[in-house]
Amino acid sequence: GRSSWEPRTGSRNSSLNQFLKIYHNHCVFYMFVFSAVVERRGIMLPPSRRDFVSLTVSESGSYTNSKQWRRQSCWRKWKQLSRLQRSLILFTLMLLLLFLVFLFLSAESRLEAVREAFRHAWKGYKNFAWGHDELKPISKSYGEWFGLGLTLIDALDTMWILGLKEEFAEARQWVAKELSFDKNVDVNLFESTIRILGSLLSTYHLTGDSLFLEKAKDIGSRLMPAFNTASKIPYSDVNIGKGTAHPPQWTSDSSVAEVTSIQLEFRELSRLTGDPKYKLAVMEVMKQVHKLDGKQDGLVPMFINTNNGLFTHQGMYTLGARADSYYEYLLKQWIQGGKTEKEFLDDYLQAVEGVKKNLLKKSTPSGLAFVGELSHGHFSPKMDHLVCFLPGTLALGAHYGLPADHMELAKQLMETCYQMYAQMETGLSPEIAHFNMHEGSTQDVDVKIADRHNLLRPETVESLFYLYRFTKDKKYQQWGWEILQNFNKYTRVPTGGYTSINNVRDPASPNPRDKMESFFLGETLKYFYLLFSEDPNLISLDKYVFNTEAHPLPIWPQSE
Ligand code: DMJ
């Protein structure tokens, strides 16, 4: 049977006919695929199309075992279709194929853009700051903080994940030949734990190279004197050469986030070495903080005293600087330990409720949900960019079975963190935003002059990564792509490297600060790469938990 739509012969239609013929002859392969699918699924075309051909497949078993028969049957059915029908089918299949190719290429080009950004940052570091802590890309020099090659170490697992083999090999060579922790230097316990110990442990797990485990053991044991305090709440600073520790000069307090965000790393070090001393030291801190008075609905103050182990500066609550990663590590320790340590979960769940009750408000005019601060009962609509870790952490918790409204809150806060970028003239977020809450305000976000800097921080990109992994909503990748382009536009230094800037509100003069923080390579670029990757097994969130500096550590097997 022929369809009445079959093209008729004639001069007007001859070129179309020609096209259809060529098209048809070149795509027979797709016909087989299509026929097989139709046949297997027993698809029946609508009655109007069945006047001349039916694709219904008999259920009778008389031919089901004969592949050859089936192939002939497919072919016969295909031949029974009109040329127009065949061409339409082939055209649809071609479109589908082109669409898939397009998707693959666009994902691949974004991944390549991240690799390119990393290589550019690395070029500056290599040329002007090799083996030092931080690149100063404008003055083509370096800055020293601990004198331990901080950027190089922080970036090790990023290079591995991005597949930058040459760069990784030269960095490994430096670690093997040049890196020594036997130095008379004061380091900050928290910063060196999350950046150095965290990266060495993570790189050891990804590569299996024992060099990194040996270095991790070395720095880990040199940091232990920090815990020799009357209260067992560690000092902020340690001299890793002399084995002495002390608080900052002006106080005997440590910040709460610092003493409660070193646990993932020290716990893992105990597991790997079989020596419980690291885990015992950090768990003692958690035990004490768990029991302390001075919390409000699970929210903790920002400081803790190393002499008496009590909270100080009570009455101030924030999810930003000095408290942020306390909340992050409650959830992540619970995940790391295989969801067995119930106190972490209880404290985390209570804290999320505390955030909702005390710190969560909506802005005017757009109604953006944001997390402000509380000072002795007075609410301030101030939100650090640092708080933008929270959407990702909430989403991670929801992935692990915590209440679904955590995911809803994560999505709302994600939108807000994106708006902190999108509403700025450079498309880059300030360090701190103030949200408007009074009626009649025409913009949601205000930025004080002192808060207009951007340090290339990772938190928003980090959360975009989690949100994309769990929802597959492409808008999160798109937001990340915009942010990467704006980093390239306003912070990229032509001679190599990226720089912090002073003013996100002035595209004509963002005013470079001449510093590339190690977390730009350790975290920001890594999270961009993972955000644009479609592979859920590239650092699977069911196998790894990221420390607060984006270094993935394994989730422990249930038996441990
Ligand atoms: C990083 O060192 C870590 O992410 C830490 O938790 C917060 N500050 C920086 C990045 O902003």
Side-chain angles (χ1 to χ4, degrees):
R2 286 274 161 123
S3 157
S4 54
W5 335 320
E6 186 175 329
R8 294 179 197 97
T9 46
S11 58
R12 278 178 70 205
N13 286 329
S14 64
S15 54
L16 174 66
N17 262 335
Q18 194 66 19
F19 167 76
L20 293 174
K21 235 184 230 163
I22 293 168
Y23 202 66
H24 166 251
N25 290 340
H26 281 80
C27 300
V28 167
F29 169 75
Y30 294 108
M31 172 276 294
F32 275 114
V33 177
F34 177 76
S35 302
V37 171
V38 165
E39 187 172 83
R40 181 153 292 196
R41 296 186 179 270
I43 294 171
M44 191 183 269
L45 289 180
S48 59
R49 308 243 177 126
R50 271 192 283 131
D51 322 349
F52 47 89
V53 63
S54 164
L55 293 182
T56 317
V57 175
S58 160
E59 290 289 310
S60 100
S62 60
Y63 61 83
T64 43
N65 293 331
S66 164
K67 280 186 185 162
Q68 202 185 352
W69 201 99
R70 193 179 289 179
R71 242 181 264 132
Q72 282 168 1
S73 150
C74 291
W75 180 243
R76 217 182 50 233
K77 282 168 191 159
W78 174 255
K79 289 300 256 183
Q80 285 170 347
L81 293 173
S82 74
R83 188 174 290 159
L84 181 63
Q85 283 175 310
R86 283 181 289 194
S87 299
L88 280 173
I89 290 166
L90 294 173
F91 185 64
T92 312
L93 287 171
M94 287 301 276
L95 276 184
L96 193 69
L97 190 70
L98 282 175
F99 181 65
L100 291 175
V101 170
F102 169 78
L103 280 186
F104 174 76
L105 289 179
S106 79
E108 189 44 46
S109 73
R110 286 178 176 183
L111 292 174
E112 186 47 38
V114 182
R115 277 189 223 109
E116 194 281 327
F118 186 98
R119 282 197 204 96
H120 184 77
W122 193 246
K123 178 176 123 188
Y125 179 73
K126 202 174 156 184
N127 287 344
F128 311 122
W130 185 248
H132 298 286
D133 282 343
E134 287 154 344
L135 169 68
K136 295 173 88 174
I138 306 289
S139 54
K140 303 193 181 68
S141 60
Y142 58 83
E144 225 54 301
W145 189 8
F146 309 144
L148 297 173
L150 197 59
T151 294
L152 186 149
I153 300 176
D154 216 356
L156 283 168
D157 56 358
T158 303
M159 289 183 266
W160 186 263
I161 291 167
L162 269 60
L164 300 172
K165 293 195 178 137
E166 270 176 37
E167 291 82 352
F168 181 82
E170 60 192 352
R172 186 207 179 273
Q173 184 78 348
W174 184 88
V175 172
K177 295 263 158 63
E178 308 287 335
L179 178 61
S180 167
F181 296 125
D182 190 10
K183 276 189 167 178
N184 178 11
V185 285
D186 278 355
V187 303
N188 174 284
L189 170 68
F190 163 73
E191 297 291 357
S192 46
T193 298
I194 64 168
R195 300 188 198 211
I196 299 177
L197 178 57
S199 185
L200 291 169
L201 289 171
S202 166
T203 309
Y204 166 66
H205 279 294
L206 295 176
T207 63
D209 185 338
S210 60
L211 167 70
F212 300 107
L213 179 57
E214 290 312 312
K215 292 290 178 189
K217 285 185 204 165
D218 191 12
I219 186 69
S221 57
R222 287 171 185 276
L223 292 172
M224 288 304 282
F227 295 91
N228 295 335
T229 65
S231 65
K232 300 198 174 144
I233 300 297
Y235 288 132
S236 60
D237 297 287
V238 196
N239 187 303
I240 53 172
K242 290 189 194 158
T244 53
H246 58 88
Q249 274 171 0
W250 59 91
T251 175
S252 54
D253 291 349
S254 287
S255 90
V256 170
E258 291 196 0
V259 301
T260 56
S261 311
I262 49 181
Q263 280 65 18
L264 293 177
E265 299 81 354
F266 279 97
R267 279 155 55 105
E268 178 60 11
L269 190 57
S270 272
R271 194 178 73 102
L272 287 172
T273 59
D275 185 341
K277 73 176 179 211
Y278 308 105
K279 180 174 175 177
L280 289 175
V282 293
M283 292 304 280
E284 175 62 27
V285 180
M286 293 313 293
K287 259 187 232 155
Q288 290 194 37
V289 172
H290 176 68
K291 287 189 298 207
L292 273 185
D293 288 335
K295 293 182 200 160
Q296 177 156 341
D297 303 312
L299 304 176
V300 289
M302 295 149 78
F303 294 96
I304 187 164
N305 188 272
T306 51
N307 294 325
N308 61 23
L310 300 176
F311 287 132
T312 64
H313 301 72
Q314 293 202 30
M316 292 169 67
Y317 303 99
T318 174
L319 265 276
R322 302 200 177 278
D324 48 0
S325 41
Y326 160 73
Y327 304 100
E328 179 187 350
Y329 269 37
L330 286 177
L331 178 73
K332 289 183 172 178
Q333 286 177 83
W334 177 67
I335 293 172
Q336 179 190 43
K339 301 193 277 180
T340 53
E341 298 149 295
K342 204 172 156 295
E343 316 77 57
F344 294 136
L345 178 62
D346 290 345
D347 287 355
Y348 176 74
L349 289 172
Q350 202 196 354
V352 174
E353 291 311 307
V355 169
K356 288 196 245 172
K357 181 173 163 197
N358 299 287
L359 306 180
L360 186 65
K361 301 273 186 228
K362 295 233 163 150
S363 70
T364 329
S366 313
L368 297 173
F370 69 94
V371 177
E373 300 185 350
L374 206 59
S375 175
H376 305 288
H378 172 76
F379 180 80
S380 161
K382 162 182 179 277
M383 179 163 151
D384 293 351
H385 181 275
L386 288 169
V387 181
C388 289
F389 80 93
L390 188 58
T393 297
L394 287 168
L396 181 64
H399 173 70
Y400 272 96
L402 302 191
D405 72 308
H406 288 206
M407 191 58 171
E408 284 319 301
L409 182 56
K411 288 178 184 172
Q412 288 177 27
L413 292 172
M414 190 74 262
E415 166 82 37
T416 305
C417 289
Y418 167 64
Q419 289 301 332
M420 283 166 63
Y421 285 71
Q423 295 194 10
M424 296 301 111
E425 289 76 354
T426 55
L428 292 175
S429 170
E431 177 71 358
I432 300 170
H434 282 79
F435 286 85
N436 282 318
M437 293 175 68
H438 49 270
E439 282 207 6
S441 56
T442 52
Q443 52 180 33
D444 293 274
V445 185
D446 273 339
V447 186
K448 299 202 186 306
I449 289 182
D451 303 335
R452 293 183 169 188
H453 48 293
N454 179 297
L455 305 183
L456 312 170
R457 285 197 192 276
E459 290 76 18
T460 295
V461 188
E462 168 185 354
S463 285
L464 287 171
F465 154 64
Y466 285 103
L467 269 282
Y468 182 68
R469 268 278 166 104
F470 298 137
T471 67
K472 291 283 162 215
D473 186 335
K474 293 271 173 201
K475 82 177 173 201
Y476 298 122
Q477 286 186 326
Q478 187 52 34
W479 292 354
W481 182 237
E482 286 168 27
I483 294 170
L484 177 61
Q485 284 171 311
N486 290 324
F487 275 132
N488 275 326
K489 201 162 169 191
Y490 296 107
T491 72
R492 187 175 163 113
V493 180
T495 45
Y498 288 74
T499 178
S500 308
I501 54 172
N502 273 318
N503 193 354
V504 295
R505 308 227 67 165
D506 189 352
S509 177
N511 194 1
R513 279 196 162 190
D514 195 19
K515 182 165 171 173
M516 184 173 78
E517 301 275 355
S518 80
F519 52 68
F520 183 62
L521 278 69
E523 290 195 75
T524 313
L525 292 178
K526 185 187 290 150
Y527 281 130
F528 270 128
Y529 192 82
L530 293 171
L531 166 65
F532 298 140
S533 167
E534 298 296 346
D535 180 2
N537 294 317
L538 182 60
I539 316 295
S540 161
L541 291 172
D542 295 315
K543 294 192 179 136
Y544 290 95
V545 60
F546 285 88
N547 86 340
T548 192
E549 187 78 4
H551 300 301
L553 299 173
I555 294 170
W556 300 341
Q558 282 300 323
S559 52
E560 293 181 40

